[in-house]
Amino acid sequence: NKNLFVQETLDKLRWHKEKKHKVVLVSGSFMEIMTPIADYLNADHVLAITLEVNNGLYTGNIVGLQTIGDGKKEAILQFAAKRKIDFDNCYSYGDHISDMPMLELVGNPTVITGDSKLETIAATRGWQSLQG
């Protein structure tokens, strides 16, 4: 449903797809939540938290990286290590101060409004902002 997403964000995603950019959703949420969203948005890859499953049940433990803060940056670096990625030409979008390591990694950081600390940093650094 289109109403589940912020129109300005959908427009930006559409712009990236038209430019033939690879779209990678990077989230501190779980793969089980992010995969259907990525499918709906036609994203190319998802980097998110993987939950441990034991005998068909979720244990509550995380397998691998926790993709929040520095863990999000590390997941991106591991993903990039297997591909030729020029971070100066990459875009990232963050909506929380914990996204700073990811935003600082790329040449085109954009802040989704809603976190005043992050908005202040974006204004100071001349980063783009989108309405959240």
Side-chain angles (χ1 to χ4, degrees):
N1 182 334
K2 188 175 170 182
N3 295 329
L4 295 174
F5 302 98
V6 175
Q7 187 60 48
E8 193 173 3
T9 304
L10 287 176
D11 293 343
K12 233 1 174 175
L13 178 66
R14 202 170 291 119
W15 177 81
H16 284 293
K17 294 304 277 185
E18 288 170 3
K19 295 285 185 185
K20 307 287 189 225
H21 296 162
K22 294 291 183 188
V23 174
V24 181
L25 299 184
V26 186
S27 176
S29 191
F30 308 111
M31 287 297 286
E32 291 79 0
I33 293 171
M34 292 307 300
T35 299
I37 293 170
D39 291 344
Y40 180 82
L41 296 174
N42 197 28
D44 298 292
H45 302 280
V46 178
L47 304 177
I49 292 173
T50 301
L51 295 174
E52 179 182 64
V53 178
N54 188 357
N55 293 323
L57 300 173
Y58 291 103
T59 67
N61 295 321
I62 295 172
V63 177
L65 293 173
Q66 181 174 9
T67 50
I68 298 172
D70 288 327
K72 190 175 278 191
K73 177 182 175 181
E74 184 58 34
I76 293 167
L77 291 171
Q78 287 180 18
F79 178 83
K82 300 173 185 171
R83 297 158 177 85
K84 289 185 177 183
I85 294 180
D86 176 7
F87 285 113
D88 288 339
N89 290 316
C90 287
Y91 295 77
S92 66
Y93 299 83
D95 64 356
H96 188 265
I97 194 70
S98 66
D99 291 327
M100 279 298 297
M102 173 187 69
L103 292 165
E104 292 178 321
L105 187 61
V106 302
N108 302 285
T110 299
V111 169
I112 310 299
T113 60
D115 182 323
S116 61
K117 289 180 187 176
L118 191 57
E119 289 175 39
T120 299
I121 292 169
T124 301
R125 296 186 183 188
W127 293 353
Q128 282 193 324
S129 292
L130 293 177
Q131 292 301 311

